[in-house]
Amino acid sequence: MLKDFKPSTLTVPMPSDKMFYDLWLDPMVISIVSSYLDFFPHMTEAYIRRNFPSDYKVMNFNWHRDSNHDKYLLKAFFFFTDCDIKTGAHHYIAGSVQDPRFRDKVYYSDDEINSVWPIGSNDHMVSSVPAGTIIIEDTRGLHKAGIPSMAYRDLGYAVFSPPNFFRRLPPLFQIEQSVHDVLSSCQKKFIPSSNIING
């Protein structure tokens, strides 16, 4: 598949395995998330992703803002491989959540963003990080994934937003009841009941 189709990204939902939930819902992670948002949110998405070298930019390789919620949104990135410029460093513009600029389109080019926040400026954060790093950020701010020029980048990520008890969309990850049963009471607060399945 890699040879024939040359994908830029492969993404799968997080497996229903306690090992992954203990990482995604690590006590330190959920403490930071709930303190920042000032309530217990739901983990509404959870994925594992591999980014490959690519000759073209798609979706998360372009500068963008996440729009899952207009007021309350955090995303946690879990880096499973070393990440630097050559393997697709993560970029974020500090202070851009409240900045009124760059809100008229879904995606922006490097030239557009670098004209205001060039690489090397104080607000243009480039995350060159070792495997095992966790980055938690408000992705309503401008951010993008760098394109690997060699090897690949493996990471997991979770999206945290307010509980929506009227949600009618299908769950974006599923957890088996047997796995849910062995989570801590605090971890369970972050799992929407609609995501629990009998397994």
Side-chain angles (χ1 to χ4, degrees):
M1 186 181 77
L2 296 179
K3 182 180 177 182
D4 291 343
F5 297 102
K6 298 181 180 177
S8 62
T9 303
L10 291 178
T11 303
V12 296
M14 184 173 69
S16 182
D17 186 304
K18 186 176 186 297
M19 175 182 69
F20 287 98
Y21 283 89
D22 283 343
L23 178 58
W24 265 241
L25 298 176
D26 177 86
M28 181 65 73
V29 171
I30 58 180
S31 173
I32 292 170
V33 168
S34 56
S35 294
Y36 180 86
L37 296 175
D38 203 25
F39 58 83
F40 286 105
H42 275 169
M43 183 170 67
T44 55
E45 300 179 48
Y47 299 98
I48 297 172
R49 172 174 286 169
R50 173 169 285 182
N51 290 124
F52 298 94
S54 177
D55 295 330
Y56 54 90
K57 292 185 176 182
V58 296
M59 299 188 321
N60 65 314
F61 291 140
N62 296 289
W63 287 97
H64 64 284
R65 299 173 183 273
D66 291 345
S67 57
N68 309 54
H69 196 277
D70 61 350
K71 291 184 179 179
Y72 303 105
L73 180 64
L74 277 183
K75 187 179 281 187
F77 297 94
F78 305 87
F79 289 86
F80 298 139
T81 54
D82 293 342
C83 185
D84 56 27
I85 292 298
K86 290 184 178 179
T87 55
H90 183 75
H91 295 247
Y92 187 83
I93 303 300
S96 61
V97 171
Q98 302 299 331
D99 197 295
R101 293 170 288 184
F102 300 103
R103 293 183 180 275
D104 58 328
K105 299 189 301 187
V106 176
Y107 296 112
Y108 296 91
S109 70
D110 286 339
D111 288 343
E112 289 173 299
I113 299 303
N114 290 340
S115 70
V116 179
W117 299 284
I119 291 179
S121 63
N122 289 338
D123 292 330
H124 190 139
M125 315 294 288
V126 181
S127 299
S128 292
V129 297
T133 299
I134 300 172
I135 294 175
I136 302 173
E137 68 184 36
D138 188 332
T139 53
R140 294 175 302 149
L142 289 160
H143 63 286
K144 73 162 190 168
I147 300 177
S149 60
M150 57 176 287
Y152 51 80
R153 180 185 73 165
D154 282 347
L155 60 79
Y157 67 93
V159 176
F160 298 95
S161 55
N164 185 348
F165 299 106
F166 302 103
R167 188 181 186 90
R168 293 292 179 259
L169 299 174
L172 297 175
F173 70 92
Q174 294 182 321
I175 180 171
E176 294 177 5
Q177 183 71 57
S178 59
V179 176
H180 184 267
D181 288 346
V182 296
L183 297 181
S184 72
S185 58
C186 191
Q187 288 173 318
K188 289 176 182 177
K189 292 178 182 179
F190 288 79
I191 306 292
S193 58
S194 59
N195 293 54
I196 304 169
I197 59 170
N198 290 320

